[in-house]
Coordinates of all heavy atoms in Angstrom, one line a residue:
M7 N -54.7 -21.6 13.8 CA -54.3 -22.8 12.9 C -53.2 -23.5 13.7 O -52.3 -22.9 14.3 CB -53.8 -22.2 11.6 CG -53.5 -23.3 10.6 SD -53.1 -22.7 8.9 CE -54.7 -22.4 8.3
I8 N -53.2 -24.8 13.5 CA -52.1 -25.6 14.2 C -50.8 -25.4 13.5 O -50.7 -25.3 12.3 CB -52.5 -27.1 14.1 CG1 -53.9 -27.4 14.8 CG2 -51.4 -28.0 14.6 CD1 -54.4 -28.7 14.5
P9 N -49.7 -25.2 14.3 CA -48.4 -24.9 13.7 C -48.0 -25.8 12.5 O -47.4 -25.4 11.6 CB -47.4 -25.0 14.9 CG -48.3 -24.7 16.1 CD -49.6 -25.3 15.7
T10 N -48.3 -27.1 12.7 CA -47.9 -28.0 11.6 C -48.6 -27.7 10.3 O -48.1 -27.7 9.2 CB -48.2 -29.5 12.0 OG1 -47.5 -29.8 13.3 CG2 -47.7 -30.5 11.0
Q11 N -49.9 -27.4 10.4 CA -50.7 -27.0 9.3 C -50.2 -25.8 8.6 O -50.1 -25.6 7.4 CB -52.2 -26.9 9.6 CG -52.9 -28.2 9.9 CD -54.3 -28.0 10.4 OE1 -54.6 -26.9 11.0 NE2 -55.2 -28.9 10.1
L12 N -49.8 -24.8 9.5 CA -49.3 -23.5 9.0 C -48.0 -23.7 8.3 O -47.8 -23.2 7.2 CB -49.1 -22.5 10.2 CG -48.6 -21.2 9.8 CD1 -49.5 -20.5 8.8 CD2 -48.4 -20.3 11.0
T13 N -47.1 -24.6 8.8 CA -45.8 -24.9 8.2 C -46.1 -25.5 6.8 O -45.4 -25.1 5.8 CB -45.0 -25.8 9.0 OG1 -44.8 -25.2 10.3 CG2 -43.7 -26.1 8.4
Q14 N -47.0 -26.5 6.7 CA -47.3 -27.1 5.4 C -47.9 -26.1 4.5 O -47.5 -26.1 3.3 CB -48.3 -28.2 5.6 CG -47.7 -29.4 6.4 CD -48.8 -30.4 6.8 OE1 -50.0 -30.1 6.7 NE2 -48.4 -31.6 7.1
L15 N -48.7 -25.2 4.9 CA -49.3 -24.2 4.1 C -48.2 -23.2 3.6 O -48.2 -22.8 2.4 CB -50.4 -23.4 4.8 CG -51.4 -22.6 4.0 CD1 -52.0 -23.4 3.0 CD2 -52.4 -22.0 5.0
V16 N -47.3 -22.8 4.4 CA -46.2 -21.9 4.1 C -45.3 -22.6 3.0 O -45.0 -21.9 2.0 CB -45.4 -21.5 5.3 CG1 -44.1 -20.8 4.9 CG2 -46.2 -20.5 6.2
V17 N -45.0 -23.8 3.2 CA -44.2 -24.5 2.2 C -44.9 -24.7 0.9 O -44.4 -24.5 -0.2 CB -43.8 -25.9 2.7 CG1 -43.1 -26.8 1.6 CG2 -42.8 -25.8 3.9
A18 N -46.2 -25.0 0.9 CA -47.0 -25.1 -0.3 C -47.1 -23.8 -1.0 O -47.0 -23.7 -2.3 CB -48.4 -25.6 0.1
V19 N -47.4 -22.7 -0.3 CA -47.5 -21.4 -1.0 C -46.2 -21.0 -1.6 O -46.1 -20.5 -2.7 CB -48.0 -20.3 0.1 CG1 -47.8 -18.9 -0.5 CG2 -49.5 -20.6 0.4
G20 N -45.1 -21.2 -0.8 CA -43.7 -20.8 -1.3 C -43.4 -21.6 -2.6 O -42.9 -21.1 -3.6
G21 N -43.7 -22.9 -2.5 CA -43.4 -23.8 -3.7 C -44.2 -23.5 -4.9 O -43.7 -23.4 -6.0
L22 N -45.5 -23.2 -4.7 CA -46.4 -22.9 -5.8 C -45.9 -21.6 -6.4 O -45.9 -21.4 -7.6 CB -47.8 -22.7 -5.3 CG -48.9 -22.3 -6.3 CD1 -49.0 -23.3 -7.4 CD2 -50.2 -22.0 -5.6
N23 N -45.6 -20.6 -5.6 CA -45.1 -19.3 -6.2 C -43.8 -19.4 -6.8 O -43.5 -18.7 -7.8 CB -45.2 -18.2 -5.1 CG -46.5 -17.6 -4.9 OD1 -47.0 -17.0 -5.8 ND2 -47.2 -17.9 -3.8
L24 N -42.9 -20.4 -6.4 CA -41.7 -20.6 -7.1 C -42.0 -21.0 -8.6 O -41.4 -20.5 -9.5 CB -40.9 -21.7 -6.4 CG -39.5 -22.0 -7.0 CD1 -38.5 -22.2 -5.9 CD2 -39.5 -23.2 -7.9
L25 N -43.0 -22.0 -8.7 CA -43.4 -22.4 -10.0 C -44.0 -21.3 -10.8 O -43.8 -21.2 -12.0 CB -44.3 -23.6 -9.9 CG -43.7 -24.9 -9.3 CD1 -44.7 -26.0 -9.1 CD2 -42.5 -25.4 -10.1
V26 N -44.9 -20.5 -10.2 CA -45.6 -19.4 -10.9 C -44.5 -18.4 -11.3 O -44.6 -17.9 -12.5 CB -46.6 -18.8 -9.9 CG1 -47.1 -17.4 -10.5 CG2 -47.8 -19.7 -9.7
G27 N -43.5 -18.1 -10.5 CA -42.5 -17.1 -10.9 C -41.7 -17.6 -12.1 O -41.4 -16.8 -13.0
A28 N -41.4 -18.9 -12.1 CA -40.6 -19.4 -13.2 C -41.5 -19.4 -14.5 O -41.0 -19.1 -15.6 CB -40.1 -20.9 -12.9
A29 N -42.7 -19.8 -14.4 CA -43.6 -19.9 -15.5 C -43.9 -18.4 -16.0 O -43.9 -18.2 -17.3 CB -44.9 -20.5 -15.2
F30 N -44.0 -17.5 -15.1 CA -44.3 -16.1 -15.5 C -43.1 -15.6 -16.3 O -43.2 -14.9 -17.3 CB -44.5 -15.3 -14.2 CG -44.6 -13.8 -14.5 CD1 -45.8 -13.2 -14.8 CD2 -43.4 -13.0 -14.3 CE1 -45.8 -11.9 -15.0 CE2 -43.5 -11.6 -14.6 CZ -44.7 -11.1 -14.9
T31 N -41.9 -15.9 -15.8 CA -40.6 -15.4 -16.5 C -40.5 -16.1 -17.8 O -40.2 -15.4 -18.8 CB -39.4 -15.7 -15.6 OG1 -39.6 -15.2 -14.3 CG2 -38.2 -15.1 -16.2
A32 N -40.8 -17.3 -18.0 CA -40.8 -18.0 -19.3 C -41.8 -17.4 -20.2 O -41.5 -17.2 -21.4 CB -41.1 -19.5 -19.1
A33 N -43.0 -17.0 -19.7 CA -44.0 -16.4 -20.6 C -43.5 -15.0 -21.1 O -43.7 -14.7 -22.3 CB -45.3 -16.3 -19.9
V34 N -43.0 -14.3 -20.2 CA -42.5 -12.9 -20.6 C -41.3 -13.0 -21.5 O -41.2 -12.3 -22.5 CB -42.1 -12.1 -19.3 CG1 -41.4 -10.8 -19.7 CG2 -43.4 -11.8 -18.5
Y35 N -40.4 -14.0 -21.3 CA -39.3 -14.2 -22.2 C -39.8 -14.6 -23.6 O -39.3 -14.1 -24.6 CB -38.4 -15.3 -21.7 CG -37.2 -14.9 -20.8 CD1 -37.2 -13.6 -20.2 CD2 -36.2 -15.8 -20.5 CE1 -36.2 -13.3 -19.4 CE2 -35.2 -15.4 -19.6 CZ -35.2 -14.1 -19.1 OH -34.2 -13.8 -18.3
T36 N -40.8 -15.4 -23.7 CA -41.4 -15.8 -25.0 C -42.0 -14.6 -25.6 O -41.8 -14.4 -26.8 CB -42.5 -16.9 -24.8 OG1 -41.9 -18.0 -24.1 CG2 -43.1 -17.3 -26.1
A37 N -42.7 -13.8 -24.9 CA -43.2 -12.5 -25.5 C -42.1 -11.6 -25.9 O -42.2 -11.0 -27.0 CB -44.2 -11.8 -24.4
L38 N -41.1 -11.5 -25.1 CA -40.0 -10.7 -25.5 C -39.3 -11.1 -26.8 O -38.8 -10.3 -27.6 CB -39.0 -10.7 -24.3 CG -37.8 -9.7 -24.3 CD1 -38.4 -8.2 -24.3 CD2 -37.0 -9.8 -23.1
E39 N -39.2 -12.4 -27.0 CA -38.6 -12.9 -28.2 C -39.5 -12.7 -29.4 O -39.0 -12.5 -30.5 CB -38.3 -14.4 -28.0 CG -37.2 -14.7 -27.0 CD -37.0 -16.2 -26.7 OE1 -37.9 -17.0 -27.0 OE2 -36.0 -16.5 -26.1
R40 N -40.8 -12.8 -29.2 CA -41.7 -12.6 -30.4 C -42.1 -11.2 -30.7 O -42.0 -10.8 -31.8 CB -42.9 -13.5 -30.1 CG -42.6 -15.0 -30.1 CD -43.8 -15.8 -30.0 NE -43.4 -17.2 -30.0 CZ -44.2 -18.2 -29.7 NH1 -45.5 -18.0 -29.5 NH2 -43.7 -19.4 -29.6
V41 N -42.5 -10.5 -29.7 CA -42.9 -9.1 -29.9 C -42.3 -8.2 -28.8 O -43.0 -7.9 -27.8 CB -44.4 -9.0 -29.9 CG1 -44.9 -7.6 -30.3 CG2 -45.1 -10.0 -30.8
P42 N -41.1 -7.8 -28.9 CA -40.4 -7.0 -27.9 C -41.1 -5.8 -27.4 O -41.1 -5.4 -26.2 CB -39.0 -6.7 -28.5 CG -38.8 -7.6 -29.6 CD -40.2 -8.0 -30.1
T43 N -41.8 -5.1 -28.3 CA -42.5 -3.9 -27.9 C -43.7 -4.1 -27.0 O -44.0 -3.2 -26.2 CB -42.9 -3.1 -29.2 OG1 -43.8 -4.0 -30.0 CG2 -41.8 -2.6 -30.0
L44 N -44.3 -5.3 -27.1 CA -45.5 -5.5 -26.2 C -45.1 -6.4 -25.0 O -46.0 -6.7 -24.2 CB -46.5 -6.2 -27.1 CG -47.1 -5.4 -28.2 CD1 -48.1 -6.3 -29.0 CD2 -47.8 -4.2 -27.7
A45 N -43.9 -6.8 -24.8 CA -43.5 -7.7 -23.7 C -43.8 -7.0 -22.4 O -44.2 -7.7 -21.4 CB -42.1 -8.1 -23.8
G46 N -43.5 -5.7 -22.2 CA -43.7 -5.0 -21.0 C -45.2 -5.0 -20.6 O -45.6 -5.2 -19.5
V47 N -46.1 -4.7 -21.6 CA -47.5 -4.7 -21.3 C -48.0 -6.1 -21.0 O -48.8 -6.3 -20.0 CB -48.3 -4.2 -22.6 CG1 -49.7 -4.3 -22.4 CG2 -47.8 -2.7 -22.9
F48 N -47.5 -7.1 -21.7 CA -47.9 -8.5 -21.4 C -47.5 -8.9 -20.0 O -48.3 -9.5 -19.2 CB -47.3 -9.4 -22.4 CG -47.5 -10.9 -22.1 CD1 -48.8 -11.4 -22.3 CD2 -46.5 -11.7 -21.6 CE1 -49.0 -12.8 -22.0 CE2 -46.7 -13.0 -21.4 CZ -48.0 -13.6 -21.5
G49 N -46.2 -8.5 -19.6 CA -45.8 -8.8 -18.3 C -46.6 -8.2 -17.2 O -46.9 -8.8 -16.2
F50 N -46.9 -6.9 -17.4 CA -47.8 -6.2 -16.4 C -49.1 -6.8 -16.3 O -49.6 -7.0 -15.2 CB -47.9 -4.7 -16.8 CG -48.8 -3.9 -16.0 CD1 -48.4 -3.5 -14.7 CD2 -50.1 -3.7 -16.3 CE1 -49.2 -2.7 -13.9 CE2 -51.0 -3.0 -15.5 CZ -50.5 -2.5 -14.3
L51 N -49.8 -7.1 -17.4 CA -51.1 -7.7 -17.4 C -51.1 -9.1 -16.7 O -52.0 -9.5 -15.9 CB -51.7 -7.8 -18.8 CG -52.1 -6.5 -19.4 CD1 -52.5 -6.7 -20.8 CD2 -53.1 -5.7 -18.6
L52 N -50.0 -9.9 -17.0 CA -49.9 -11.2 -16.4 C -49.7 -11.1 -14.9 O -50.3 -11.9 -14.2 CB -48.8 -12.0 -17.1 CG -48.6 -13.5 -16.8 CD1 -49.9 -14.3 -17.1 CD2 -47.4 -14.1 -17.5
A53 N -48.8 -10.2 -14.5 CA -48.6 -10.0 -13.1 C -49.8 -9.6 -12.3 O -50.1 -10.1 -11.3 CB -47.5 -9.0 -12.9
A54 N -50.6 -8.7 -12.9 CA -51.9 -8.3 -12.3 C -52.8 -9.5 -12.2 O -53.5 -9.6 -11.2 CB -52.5 -7.2 -13.1
A55 N -52.9 -10.3 -13.2 CA -53.8 -11.5 -13.2 C -53.4 -12.5 -12.1 O -54.2 -13.0 -11.4 CB -53.8 -12.1 -14.6
V56 N -52.1 -12.7 -12.0 CA -51.6 -13.6 -11.0 C -51.9 -13.1 -9.6 O -52.4 -13.9 -8.7 CB -50.1 -13.9 -11.1 CG1 -49.5 -14.6 -9.9 CG2 -49.8 -14.6 -12.4
V57 N -51.6 -11.9 -9.3 CA -51.9 -11.3 -8.0 C -53.4 -11.4 -7.7 O -53.8 -11.8 -6.6 CB -51.4 -9.9 -7.9 CG1 -51.9 -9.2 -6.6 CG2 -49.9 -9.9 -7.9
A58 N -54.3 -11.0 -8.6 CA -55.7 -11.0 -8.4 C -56.2 -12.4 -8.2 O -57.0 -12.6 -7.3 CB -56.4 -10.3 -9.6
T59 N -55.7 -13.3 -9.0 CA -56.1 -14.7 -8.8 C -55.7 -15.3 -7.5 O -56.5 -15.9 -6.8 CB -55.5 -15.6 -9.9 OG1 -56.0 -15.1 -11.2 CG2 -56.0 -17.1 -9.8
E60 N -54.5 -15.1 -7.1 CA -54.0 -15.6 -5.8 C -54.8 -14.9 -4.6 O -55.1 -15.6 -3.6 CB -52.5 -15.4 -5.6 CG -51.7 -16.4 -6.5 CD -50.2 -16.3 -6.2 OE1 -49.8 -15.4 -5.4 OE2 -49.5 -17.1 -6.7
A61 N -55.0 -13.7 -4.7 CA -55.8 -13.0 -3.6 C -57.2 -13.6 -3.5 O -57.7 -13.8 -2.4 CB -55.8 -11.5 -3.9
H62 N -57.8 -13.7 -4.6 CA -59.2 -14.3 -4.7 C -59.3 -15.7 -4.1 O -60.1 -16.0 -3.3 CB -59.8 -14.2 -6.1 CG -61.2 -14.6 -6.1 ND1 -62.2 -13.8 -5.6 CD2 -61.8 -15.6 -6.7 CE1 -63.4 -14.4 -5.8 NE2 -63.2 -15.5 -6.5
L63 N -58.4 -16.6 -4.7 CA -58.4 -18.0 -4.2 C -58.0 -18.1 -2.8 O -58.5 -18.9 -2.0 CB -57.4 -18.8 -5.1 CG -57.9 -19.1 -6.5 CD1 -56.8 -19.8 -7.3 CD2 -59.2 -19.9 -6.5
G64 N -57.0 -17.3 -2.3 CA -56.6 -17.3 -0.9 C -57.8 -17.0 0.0 O -58.0 -17.6 1.0
E65 N -58.6 -16.0 -0.4 CA -59.7 -15.6 0.4 C -60.8 -16.7 0.5 O -61.4 -16.9 1.5 CB -60.3 -14.3 -0.1 CG -61.4 -13.7 0.7 CD -61.9 -12.4 0.2 OE1 -61.2 -11.7 -0.7 OE2 -62.9 -11.9 0.6
L66 N -61.0 -17.3 -0.7 CA -62.0 -18.4 -0.7 C -61.6 -19.7 0.0 O -62.4 -20.3 0.6 CB -62.3 -18.8 -2.2 CG -63.0 -17.7 -3.0 CD1 -63.1 -18.2 -4.5 CD2 -64.4 -17.5 -2.4
L67 N -60.3 -20.0 -0.1 CA -59.8 -21.3 0.4 C -59.3 -21.3 1.8 O -59.2 -22.4 2.4 CB -58.8 -21.9 -0.6 CG -59.2 -22.1 -2.0 CD1 -58.1 -22.6 -2.9 CD2 -60.4 -23.1 -2.1
L68 N -58.8 -20.2 2.3 CA -58.1 -20.2 3.6 C -58.8 -19.4 4.6 O -59.4 -18.3 4.3 CB -56.7 -19.6 3.4 CG -55.8 -20.3 2.3 CD1 -54.5 -19.5 2.2 CD2 -55.5 -21.7 2.7
S69 N -58.7 -19.8 5.8 CA -59.2 -19.1 7.0 C -58.0 -18.9 7.9 O -57.7 -19.8 8.7 CB -60.3 -19.8 7.7 OG -61.4 -19.9 6.9
V70 N -57.3 -17.8 7.8 CA -56.1 -17.5 8.6 C -56.2 -16.2 9.3 O -56.9 -15.3 8.9 CB -54.8 -17.6 7.7 CG1 -54.6 -18.9 7.1 CG2 -54.9 -16.5 6.6
T71 N -55.4 -16.1 10.3 CA -55.3 -14.8 11.1 C -54.4 -13.8 10.3 O -53.8 -14.2 9.3 CB -54.7 -15.0 12.5 OG1 -53.3 -15.4 12.3 CG2 -55.4 -16.1 13.3
V72 N -54.4 -12.6 10.7 CA -53.6 -11.6 10.0 C -52.1 -12.0 10.1 O -51.4 -11.9 9.1 CB -53.8 -10.2 10.6 CG1 -52.9 -9.2 10.0 CG2 -55.3 -9.8 10.4
A73 N -51.6 -12.4 11.2 CA -50.2 -12.8 11.4 C -49.9 -14.0 10.4 O -48.8 -14.0 9.8 CB -49.9 -13.2 12.8
E74 N -50.8 -15.0 10.3 CA -50.5 -16.1 9.4 C -50.6 -15.6 8.0 O -49.8 -16.1 7.2 CB -51.6 -17.2 9.7 CG -51.5 -17.8 11.0 CD -52.7 -18.7 11.4 OE1 -53.8 -18.5 10.8 OE2 -52.5 -19.6 12.3
M75 N -51.5 -14.7 7.7 CA -51.5 -14.2 6.3 C -50.2 -13.5 5.9 O -49.7 -13.6 4.8 CB -52.7 -13.2 6.2 CG -52.9 -12.7 4.8 SD -54.4 -11.6 4.5 CE -54.9 -11.1 6.1
K76 N -49.7 -12.7 6.9 CA -48.4 -12.0 6.6 C -47.3 -13.0 6.3 O -46.5 -12.8 5.4 CB -48.0 -11.1 7.8 CG -48.9 -9.9 7.9 CD -48.5 -9.0 9.1 CE -49.4 -7.8 9.2 NZ -49.0 -7.0 10.4
L77 N -47.3 -14.1 7.1 CA -46.3 -15.2 6.9 C -46.5 -15.8 5.5 O -45.5 -16.1 4.8 CB -46.4 -16.2 8.0 CG -45.3 -17.3 8.0 CD1 -43.9 -16.7 8.2 CD2 -45.6 -18.3 9.1
L78 N -47.7 -16.0 5.1 CA -48.0 -16.6 3.8 C -47.6 -15.7 2.6 O -47.1 -16.1 1.6 CB -49.4 -17.0 3.7 CG -49.9 -18.2 4.6 CD1 -51.4 -18.3 4.5 CD2 -49.2 -19.5 4.2
V79 N -47.8 -14.4 2.8 CA -47.4 -13.4 1.8 C -45.9 -13.4 1.7 O -45.4 -13.4 0.5 CB -48.0 -12.0 2.1 CG1 -47.3 -11.0 1.3 CG2 -49.5 -12.0 2.0
I80 N -45.2 -13.4 2.8 CA -43.7 -13.4 2.7 C -43.2 -14.7 2.0 O -42.3 -14.7 1.2 CB -43.1 -13.3 4.1 CG1 -43.4 -11.9 4.7 CG2 -41.6 -13.6 4.1 CD1 -43.1 -11.8 6.2
A81 N -43.8 -15.9 2.3 CA -43.4 -17.1 1.7 C -43.7 -17.1 0.2 O -42.9 -17.5 -0.6 CB -44.2 -18.3 2.3
G82 N -44.9 -16.5 -0.2 CA -45.2 -16.4 -1.6 C -44.2 -15.5 -2.3 O -43.8 -15.8 -3.4
V83 N -43.9 -14.3 -1.7 CA -43.0 -13.4 -2.4 C -41.6 -14.0 -2.5 O -41.0 -13.9 -3.6 CB -42.9 -12.1 -1.6 CG1 -41.8 -11.2 -2.1 CG2 -44.2 -11.3 -1.7
L84 N -41.1 -14.7 -1.5 CA -39.8 -15.3 -1.6 C -39.8 -16.4 -2.6 O -38.8 -16.6 -3.3 CB -39.4 -15.8 -0.2 CG -39.0 -14.7 0.9 CD1 -38.7 -15.4 2.2 CD2 -37.9 -13.9 0.4
G85 N -40.9 -17.2 -2.6 CA -41.0 -18.3 -3.6 C -40.9 -17.8 -5.0 O -40.2 -18.3 -5.9
A86 N -41.7 -16.7 -5.3 CA -41.8 -16.1 -6.6 C -40.4 -15.5 -7.0 O -40.0 -15.7 -8.1 CB -42.9 -15.1 -6.7
A87 N -39.8 -14.9 -6.1 CA -38.5 -14.3 -6.3 C -37.5 -15.4 -6.7 O -36.6 -15.2 -7.6 CB -38.0 -13.4 -5.1
L88 N -37.5 -16.5 -5.9 CA -36.6 -17.6 -6.2 C -36.9 -18.2 -7.6 O -35.9 -18.5 -8.3 CB -36.7 -18.6 -5.1 CG -35.8 -19.8 -5.2 CD1 -34.3 -19.4 -5.1 CD2 -36.0 -20.8 -4.0
G89 N -38.1 -18.3 -7.9 CA -38.5 -18.9 -9.2 C -38.0 -18.0 -10.4 O -37.5 -18.4 -11.4
I90 N -38.2 -16.7 -10.2 CA -37.8 -15.7 -11.2 C -36.2 -15.7 -11.3 O -35.7 -15.8 -12.4 CB -38.3 -14.3 -10.9 CG1 -39.8 -14.3 -11.1 CG2 -37.7 -13.3 -11.8 CD1 -40.5 -13.1 -10.6
A91 N -35.6 -15.6 -10.2 CA -34.1 -15.6 -10.2 C -33.5 -16.9 -10.8 O -32.6 -16.8 -11.5 CB -33.6 -15.4 -8.7
S92 N -34.1 -18.0 -10.4 CA -33.6 -19.3 -11.0 C -33.8 -19.3 -12.5 O -32.9 -19.7 -13.2 CB -34.4 -20.5 -10.4 OG -34.2 -20.5 -9.0
F93 N -34.9 -18.9 -13.0 CA -35.2 -19.0 -14.4 C -34.3 -18.0 -15.2 O -33.7 -18.4 -16.2 CB -36.7 -18.7 -14.7 CG -37.1 -19.1 -16.1 CD1 -37.5 -20.3 -16.4 CD2 -36.9 -18.2 -17.2 CE1 -37.9 -20.7 -17.7 CE2 -37.3 -18.6 -18.5 CZ -37.7 -19.8 -18.7
T94 N -34.1 -16.8 -14.7 CA -33.3 -15.8 -15.3 C -31.8 -16.2 -15.3 O -31.1 -15.8 -16.2 CB -33.5 -14.4 -14.8 OG1 -33.2 -14.4 -13.4 CG2 -34.9 -13.9 -15.1
T95 N -31.4 -17.0 -14.3 CA -30.0 -17.4 -14.2 C -29.8 -18.5 -15.2 O -28.7 -18.6 -15.8 CB -29.7 -18.0 -12.8 OG1 -29.9 -16.9 -11.9 CG2 -28.3 -18.5 -12.7
L96 N -30.8 -19.4 -15.4 CA -30.6 -20.6 -16.3 C -30.8 -20.3 -17.8 O -30.3 -20.9 -18.6 CB -31.5 -21.7 -15.8 CG -31.2 -22.3 -14.5 CD1 -32.3 -23.3 -14.1 CD2 -29.9 -22.9 -14.4
F97 N -31.7 -19.3 -18.1 CA -32.1 -19.1 -19.4 C -31.9 -17.6 -19.8 O -32.0 -16.7 -18.9 CB -33.6 -19.5 -19.7 CG -33.8 -20.9 -19.4 CD1 -34.4 -21.3 -18.2 CD2 -33.5 -21.9 -20.3 CE1 -34.6 -22.6 -17.9 CE2 -33.7 -23.2 -20.1 CZ -34.3 -23.6 -18.8
E98 N -31.7 -17.3 -21.1 CA -31.6 -15.9 -21.5 C -32.4 -15.8 -22.8 O -32.4 -16.6 -23.7 CB -30.2 -15.6 -21.8 CG -29.9 -14.2 -22.2 CD -28.4 -13.9 -22.4 OE1 -27.6 -14.4 -21.6 OE2 -28.1 -13.2 -23.3
P99 N -33.3 -14.7 -22.9 CA -34.1 -14.6 -24.1 C -33.2 -14.3 -25.3 O -32.2 -13.6 -25.2 CB -35.0 -13.5 -23.8 CG -34.3 -12.6 -22.8 CD -33.5 -13.6 -22.0
T100 N -33.7 -14.7 -26.5 CA -33.0 -14.4 -27.7 C -33.9 -13.3 -28.4 O -35.0 -13.5 -28.8 CB -33.0 -15.6 -28.7 OG1 -32.4 -16.7 -28.0 CG2 -32.2 -15.3 -29.9
I101 N -33.3 -12.1 -28.3 CA -34.1 -10.9 -28.8 C -33.6 -10.6 -30.2 O -32.4 -10.1 -30.4 CB -34.0 -9.7 -27.9 CG1 -34.4 -10.1 -26.5 CG2 -34.8 -8.6 -28.4 CD1 -34.1 -9.1 -25.4
D102 N -34.4 -10.8 -31.2 CA -34.0 -10.5 -32.6 C -35.0 -9.6 -33.3 O -35.0 -9.6 -34.5 CB -33.8 -11.8 -33.4 CG -35.1 -12.7 -33.5 OD1 -36.1 -12.2 -33.0 OD2 -35.0 -13.7 -34.1
G103 N -35.8 -8.9 -32.5 CA -36.7 -7.9 -33.1 C -37.9 -8.6 -33.7 O -38.6 -8.0 -34.5
G104 N -38.3 -9.8 -33.3 CA -39.5 -10.5 -33.8 C -39.3 -11.1 -35.2 O -40.3 -11.4 -35.8
R105 N -38.1 -11.3 -35.6 CA -37.8 -11.9 -36.9 C -37.6 -13.3 -36.9 O -37.1 -13.9 -36.0 CB -36.6 -11.2 -37.6 CG -37.0 -9.8 -38.0 CD -35.8 -9.0 -38.6 NE -35.5 -8.1 -37.5 CZ -34.3 -7.7 -37.2 NH1 -33.3 -8.1 -37.9 NH2 -34.1 -6.8 -36.3

């Protein structure tokens, strides 16, 4: 893959995962506020769905070498971590036992 294309792909994957991380955290916070006992299960199932979807779409849409794939995975993880960290820094769930 041409370096410019790889750079664009790394930025796109990182940015997309930043948004996914923030949305994931918002969804888990909402579940935590409504049904605290099921929030962990919901978070686990949502995380599994995100990973499976990204793996499947990545395989269908991209033709990359192993080294490029490793770089994309690192960008995705860093993007998701930044999205989660940003959201948890800015917002805090209100846990009142589902009342």
Side-chain angles (χ1 to χ4, degrees):
M7 184 174 283
I8 299 171
T10 305
Q11 289 175 330
L12 180 60
T13 303
Q14 291 171 344
L15 197 54
V16 166
V17 169
V19 166
L22 177 65
N23 276 296
L24 184 141
L25 297 175
V26 168
F30 174 85
T31 306
V34 172
Y35 271 13
T36 301
L38 191 59
E39 290 172 345
R40 294 188 181 168
V41 188
T43 55
L44 295 178
V47 173
F48 175 73
F50 176 78
L51 293 175
L52 188 58
V56 167
V57 170
T59 301
E60 286 188 354
H62 184 68
L63 287 177
E65 188 176 344
L66 289 175
L67 300 176
L68 303 174
S69 296
V70 294
T71 65
V72 173
E74 292 168 340
M75 183 177 17
K76 288 179 182 180
L77 186 60
L78 292 173
V79 168
I80 291 169
V83 168
L84 292 176
L88 184 60
I90 291 168
S92 299
F93 195 90
T94 56
T95 301
L96 296 174
F97 301 99
E98 185 176 318
T100 305
I101 303 170
D102 61 2
R105 289 174 253 150

